[in-house]
Amino acid sequence: QVQLVESGGGLVQTGGSLRLSCVASGSIFSIDGMGWYRQAPGKQRELVASITSSGSTNYVDSVRGRFTISRDDAKNTIYLQMNNLKPEDTAVYYCNADRVRYYSNGVIRSGPRWGQGTQVTVSS
């Protein structure tokens, strides 16, 4: 089984910083694009930042210039460095892998994976 586990969330004041991590574990062969999503109460889940297997990145306009996504393929880990946080960044942040190739019963299978989420709260 492949699991994604996020960490690094917490409570921070406006203007503060947090660094989220997402570790993929299991019999992983490779991981394609990965991303961070967030969902605030009463709102739809939105894509915050994404990174391809070759390292190309993309950001939603509201975080561009403040957030940085990166990946360490040797550790099957992605990060989200969040600076100059604002109250509107408050949400549960989820890690996503759009396709993970993994070993299962002697064959390589593939599929998307989601983490369980980590809460980020920015106080004003």
Side-chain angles (χ1 to χ4, degrees):
Q1 293 292 338
V2 174
Q3 290 186 320
L4 303 184
V5 178
E6 302 100 333
S7 61
L11 173 64
V12 65
Q13 290 185 334
T14 297
S17 298
L18 285 173
R19 188 192 194 206
L20 305 183
S21 299
C22 171
V23 180
S25 63
S27 300
I28 296 170
F29 179 72
S30 67
I31 304 176
D32 290 347
M34 299 188 74
W36 288 96
Y37 289 72
R38 68 185 179 187
Q39 187 166 20
K43 295 187 177 181
Q44 290 189 333
R45 189 173 297 190
E46 67 169 347
L47 176 61
V48 175
S50 62
I51 185 166
T52 67
S53 57
S54 60
S56 296
T57 59
N58 193 32
Y59 300 91
V60 68
D61 287 346
S62 60
V63 309
R64 188 172 290 113
R66 299 188 296 123
F67 291 10
T68 302
I69 188 171
S70 60
R71 64 190 289 166
D72 184 340
D73 290 335
K75 297 180 179 179
N76 288 328
T77 300
I78 64 168
Y79 306 95
L80 186 67
Q81 178 65 45
M82 305 185 294
N83 298 328
N84 191 22
L85 283 159
K86 304 176 181 181
E88 51 264 41
D89 295 318
T90 296
V92 178
Y93 283 70
Y94 298 90
C95 173
N96 167 265
D98 60 19
R99 184 165 63 175
V100 181
R101 295 182 182 85
Y102 58 97
Y103 296 99
S104 177
N105 297 323
V107 299
I108 295 178
R109 303 182 187 276
S110 66
R113 288 293 185 273
W114 287 92
Q116 82 289 350
T118 185
Q119 177 70 46
V120 171
T121 302
V122 185
S123 64
S124 56

